[in-house]
Each structure stands twice: as structure tokens, then as C-alpha cells.
């Protein structure tokens, strides 16, 4: 049973709209990550955080922003959605010094029309 | 820079037969290696990991993987495939020290035929 939750599960929005994808974990993990994945394709890292008030951009420029005000919460915001943002967004977390594995949420499927 | 190669986009196997999904990696220093499985419209589920110790790692659902340092490989195996094993499999690596950013392979689609 995953202890990392993403909402909404899926969403259809219009071009130009602002949207925030939520990710919360109850494990107290210090590190959190956002990945973008087209169906059945590889994962692209878009943002990560090593702790509260720490955020970094990943390899993929996605025109999104993140915040990490609380350990358990790592929301992703698209200020102005475009059709090219249509994808699945996966959130993950990991604890430094823990077992070394990454725990993933179930993902948010975003469609921009 | 670290990298992962999954040379097969798709692996087909008959139910009851053994399966292998290949993974090779490149990383500075000692590797931490992971296998994940993804079912349609879901996130990634952890299968197993290699951190240190025994080169043969056993994981969830009867899967295992063998770490081969000289060949820089971490192939996923199962002695007897099930139709329900059909899914997308991802190999990942990160160095044991330093970066906590894992690099994932492109994924291999496993199809188990009845």
C-alpha cells in the first residue's frame, strides 16, 4: 500500500488555465521528485527537493514550478497549461539513509485541450 | 554521468517459461540498482534493489535479479512467467554516494502469452 498520494487521478483542462497537481506523503521522507511520463514511455525528471525550502529543476524543462513548504507536501503548478503538457505526472519520495528505494504515487493523468 | 540501458523495448514469453529482462548501467563508484514495474495507468511499484552484499537479489512476486559488476549488468529474472506479469519494467541506477537522483531506463514491455 503506497503512502504517497497524488490528486487528482486525472484531469482535463483548457489551454491557458493554471493547475496545481498535489502530492503528499506520510512517510516523513526528506527527498521528493516529480517525473513526467508519456504513456508507456521513459520517465523524465522535472523537479526535485531535498528538504523543506529546497527545490531544483530536473533534466526536462516543463514550464512548471514546485514548492516545498512542508516535508510531506510537494505540489506542482503549471501557470499556463498547453497541449504539450498533456502527459502523466508521477510523484516519488525517498528517505536519506533509509532502504534506498523510491516510493511512487499512482500518478496524475493530465490532458490539456 | 550515470546511464541505464534496457536494450529490448519488448520481451515476449510463454506462460510457465522463464523470463529475463535485461539492464546494463554506467555510474561512477558503486551502484545502487533498482527494478520497478508499472501497470497501465498506474505509478511505479518497487520490485527489488541491490545495495550491497549477495549478487543475487530476491524481490516481490517471485522476481529476482543478478548483479554482475564486471559486466555492469542487473538483469531481472523469473523462473516461471505468469500472464499477470505482463507490464512495463524499469531499471534504475544511482551512485551509492553523492547524488540521490536515480536514472531510469527507457522501460521494457513484458508480454506473457497464455
Amino acid at each position: 500500500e503506497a503512502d504517497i498520494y497524488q490528486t487528482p487521478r486525472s484531469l482535463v483542462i483548457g489551454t491557458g488555465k493554471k493547475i496545481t497537481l498535489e502530492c503528499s506523503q506520510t512517510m516523513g521522507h526528506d527527498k521528493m521528485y516529480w517525473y513526467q511520463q508519456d504513456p508507456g514511455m521513459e520517465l523524465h525528471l522535472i523537479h526535485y527537493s531535498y528538504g523543506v525550502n529546497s527545490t531544483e529543476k530536473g533534466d526536462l524543462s516543463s514550464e512548471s514550478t514546485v514548492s516545498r513548504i512542508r516535508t510531506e507536501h510537494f505540489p506542482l503548478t503549471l501557470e499556463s497549461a498547453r497541449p504539450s503538457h498533456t502527459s502523466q505526472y508521477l510523484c516519488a519520495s525517498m528517505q536519506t539513509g533509509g532502504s534506498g528505494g523510491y516510493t511512487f504515487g499512482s500518478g496524475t493523468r493530465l490532458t490539456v485541450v | 554521468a550515470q546511464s541505464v540501458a534496457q536494450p529490448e523495448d519488448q520481451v515476449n514469453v510463454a506462460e510457465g517459461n522463464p523470463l529475463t529482462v535485461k539492464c546494463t548501467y554506467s555510474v561512477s563508484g558503486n551502484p545502487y540498482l533498482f527494478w520497478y514495474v508499472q501497470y497501465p495507468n498506474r505509478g511505479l511499484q518497487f520490485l527489488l534493489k541491490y545495495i550491497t552484499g549477495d549478487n543475487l537479489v530476491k524481490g516481490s512476486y517471485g522476481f529476482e535479479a543478478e548483479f554482475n559488476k564486471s559486466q555492469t549488468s542487473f538483469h531481472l529474472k523469473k523462473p516461471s512467467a505468469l500472464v499477470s506479469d505482463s507490464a512495463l519494467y524499469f531499471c534504475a541506477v544511482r551512485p551509492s554516494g553523492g547524488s540521490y537522483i536515480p536514472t531510469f531506463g527507457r522501460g521494457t514491455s513484458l508480454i506473457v502469452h497464455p
Side-chain angles (χ1 to χ4, degrees), chain A residues 9 31 33 35 37 40-43 45 48 50 88 90 94 96 99-102 104-107 109, chain B residues 32 34 36 38 41-46 49 51 88 90 94 98-107:
Chain A
R9 283 288 280 126
K31 293 176 173 54
Y33 309 81
Y35 290 89
Q37 183 193 26
M41 301 295 286
E42 61 196 298
L43 281 73
L45 180 68
Y48 62 98
Y50 280 1
Q88 174 161 253
L90 296 171
M94 194 269 283
T96 305
S99 64
Y102 299 82
F104 280 82
S106 295
R109 181 164 299 283
Chain B
Y32 285 359
F34 309 88
Y36 287 84
Q38 186 180 34
N41 299 315
R42 304 293 295 177
L44 274 66
Q45 295 179 30
F46 173 79
K49 66 179 185 288
I51 303 296
L88 191 58
F90 289 93
R94 74 168 178 90
S99 171
Y100 291 94
I101 307 297
T103 296
F104 287 85
R106 297 173 64 89

Side-chain angles (χ1 to χ4, degrees), chain A residues 13-89:
Chain A
I13 62 172
T15 298
K17 297 293 186 183
K18 178 179 179 179
I19 181 67
T20 295
L21 308 184
E22 300 290 346
C23 176
S24 294
Q25 49 97 2
T26 59
M27 299 168 285
H29 287 177
D30 57 342
K31 293 176 173 54
M32 296 189 74
Y33 309 81
W34 275 105
Y35 290 89
Q36 184 175 341
Q37 183 193 26
D38 291 330
M41 301 295 286
E42 61 196 298
L43 281 73
H44 296 284
L45 180 68
I46 48 178
H47 293 283
Y48 62 98
S49 167
Y50 280 1
V52 171
N53 295 325
S54 156
T55 62
E56 301 287 345
K57 287 191 173 184
D59 302 325
L60 182 67
S61 174
S62 71
E63 302 165 333
S64 60
T65 59
V66 292
S67 63
R68 190 89 183 275
I69 299 172
R70 303 195 317 265
T71 297
E72 63 270 22
H73 194 213
F74 191 42
L76 175 77
T77 298
L78 290 171
E79 293 291 336
S80 179
R82 298 191 290 151
S84 60
H85 294 137
T86 295
S87 190
Q88 174 161 253
Y89 292 83

